[in-house]
Amino acid sequence: MRRATRPPAAAAVLAAALGLAGCGEAGGRGEGVAVRDSAGVRVVASAAPAWGDGEGWRLSPEPVLRVGVAEGDAAYQFGSVAGAVRLADGGIAVADRQSGDVRWYDARGRHVRTVGRKGGGPGEFTRIGWIQAVGDSLAVGDGGASRVTILGPDGAVLRTTAMVDDTSGRRPRPVAALPGGAVLASLGAPFDPARAATGARDSVTYLRQAPDGAPPTVLGRFPGTEQVVRVAENSVSIMDVPFGRRDHVAVRGDGFYAGSADRTEVGRYDARGRLVGLVRWGSTPRPVTPADVAVYRERALAGADPAARPGMQRMLADLPYPKAMPAYARILVDRAGALWVQEYSPSEEDPVRWTVFDADERQLGTLTLPPRFRLTDAGPDYAVGVGRDDMDVEQVQVYRLDRSRG
């Protein structure tokens, strides 16, 4: 694997920026916002949102488009939606993980075409992880096959970029499409039972995979997902730490945002993986309470076989529970360059709250979306995502988004 010349360790650069945060020129940009330069890193710290009472973006009370049914035409039934994006003509494209296909619908929600199926051949998908609009084409990330397929507006396969194995034979996971046909990918650290048994947080390496099949370029190493190994009933289980932190990434231009959810902060990195900006905002992650732990354990045991419950109860009692919830749950960059940061909630029944930052990384305020709505795409006047109807059937839903008050 080719490494960049003198690659800065992401953690070291971040620590330096934090340590020198007060050494750059102080400056203001709007009430409650401080912008300063710290050793070449632009730090934007928002103490309060820009939106006042009665201000802020507004979502339509109900979706303006719904696609998805429990019974009927198979073209409208979804097994597990990996992602959905809006098309230039107002239609939507939906990638379904279970069926391994991509479906086009027009602006009225009528099915236009279906492309792909389960498999490893050209135009087939093993395990779709995401879908992304790239100009008038679509990029489809296949984590099972470790590749990205570019589909034209008519569904034709234009290009496939396969991830290149590292020296140990491990294959990176595609994360997002980058300009020029490159792919942002991630590679987890080799499994270390000694570290995992302590609940230590392993690292993840971000890579840039060129479309020509050359070895990927290392962009940096970041904190990964908090996991722990537990032994129960003569079996070994590797599981995520309850309310644990994980890495988050979202592409912006030829660079990307990345964060670890340790604090209300996201770093911005350029195309070479150099830290060039920090986005900070004033919010404190809420503590993990005994009630939160009790609910977590109850849900984990709900579907367990009675014979396995004693062992699971011991394992759940032995798990490490953090003192505070993660600082956020997801990050997303919309078509206008705004950064969205989803607040973490341990319950799917809570409304989904996103803190929004403008293209200059100034905190605008909070936008509340319906419970169990997973946002997958947002543009100047729309928000697309995956929700559920009254019968718990998965639907792709499009809301009208009014930004005039922001």
Side-chain angles (χ1 to χ4, degrees):
M1 179 181 295
R2 185 177 70 245
R3 294 185 175 271
T5 305
R6 298 172 58 191
V13 175
L14 182 59
L18 291 173
L20 297 172
C23 299
E25 282 186 24
R29 184 182 178 279
E31 185 177 354
V33 181
V35 181
R36 57 184 176 270
D37 181 274
S38 174
V41 176
R42 181 177 181 266
V43 182
V44 183
S46 297
W51 292 337
D53 293 340
E55 297 179 333
W57 299 349
R58 295 288 188 272
L59 212 64
S60 58
E62 295 292 333
V64 296
L65 181 64
R66 301 176 192 261
V67 179
V69 297
E71 299 177 346
D73 191 336
Y76 299 91
Q77 295 184 48
F78 301 121
S80 176
V81 176
V85 295
R86 190 172 185 269
L87 305 172
D89 61 4
I92 55 174
V94 183
D96 189 272
R97 185 180 295 108
Q98 182 171 299
S99 56
D101 58 33
V102 179
R103 308 177 201 177
W104 277 253
Y105 301 87
D106 67 17
R108 297 178 63 181
R110 295 176 300 193
H111 179 250
V112 176
R113 73 176 65 87
T114 295
V115 171
R117 62 182 180 181
K118 281 284 189 178
E124 297 178 337
F125 305 100
T126 303
R127 188 176 68 249
I128 298 176
W130 49 268
I131 185 172
Q132 178 184 340
V134 181
D136 61 355
S137 300
L138 298 172
V140 184
D142 186 345
S146 296
R147 66 186 185 188
V148 172
T149 299
I150 304 298
L151 301 175
D154 60 354
V157 176
L158 302 182
R159 183 177 66 253
T160 299
T161 300
M163 304 299 100
V164 177
D165 295 359
D166 74 349
T167 54
S168 69
R170 295 177 302 142
R171 182 163 291 183
R173 177 179 62 88
V175 173
L178 292 167
V183 175
L184 178 66
S186 66
L187 183 66
F191 177 66
D192 183 347
R195 283 179 53 81
T198 66
R201 190 173 185 180
D202 256 326
S203 64
V204 60
T205 300
Y206 291 145
L207 311 163
R208 175 184 291 269
Q209 175 67 62
D212 60 4
T217 300
V218 174
L219 300 177
R221 192 169 64 248
F222 300 79
T225 300
E226 290 180 305
Q227 293 182 317
V228 65
V229 172
R230 287 295 182 262
V231 178
E233 302 296 327
N234 299 318
S235 64
V236 178
S237 301
I238 303 173
M239 60 183 298
D240 293 350
V241 171
F243 318 115
R245 289 142 185 80
R246 59 175 295 270
D247 60 301
H248 300 275
V249 64
V251 167
R252 177 179 175 178
D254 60 357
F256 59 97
Y257 286 107
S260 61
D262 288 300
R263 58 182 67 86
T264 51
E265 175 182 277
V266 175
R268 179 162 54 87
Y269 298 81
D270 67 12
R272 296 173 58 185
R274 298 175 300 188
L275 180 69
V276 294
L278 286 171
V279 184
R280 296 171 174 164
W281 60 101
S283 179
T284 302
R286 77 174 182 84
V288 174
T289 67
D292 293 323
V293 175
V295 170
Y296 176 87
R297 291 173 175 170
E298 181 181 346
R299 289 176 177 170
L301 290 169
D305 184 275
R309 288 177 68 91
M312 285 192 64
Q313 287 175 327
R314 289 192 296 270
M315 182 186 69
L316 290 168
D318 187 46
L319 286 176
Y321 293 90
K323 294 181 178 180
M325 300 288 182
Y328 44 88
R330 288 177 60 207
I331 61 176
L332 179 148
V333 176
D334 70 18
R335 304 285 187 99
L339 172 66
W340 297 50
V341 181
Q342 182 183 337
E343 295 182 10
Y344 183 88
S345 173
S347 173
E348 292 184 346
E349 305 308 318
D350 291 340
V352 183
R353 292 167 54 86
W354 289 83
T355 301
V356 185
F357 301 80
D358 65 17
D360 291 325
E361 301 173 338
R362 177 178 66 114
Q363 183 186 359
L364 297 176
T366 301
L367 183 65
T368 301
L369 277 61
R372 305 180 72 187
F373 180 79
R374 176 166 55 91
L375 182 69
T376 59
D377 186 23
D381 58 358
Y382 65 86
V384 180
V386 185
R388 293 183 180 273
D389 66 9
D390 295 337
M391 298 179 63
D392 203 36
V393 174
E394 200 169 45
Q395 289 185 333
V396 174
Q397 301 173 349
V398 181
Y399 286 84
R400 183 176 295 108
L401 179 61
D402 179 6
R403 303 192 188 213
S404 63
R405 301 183 183 182

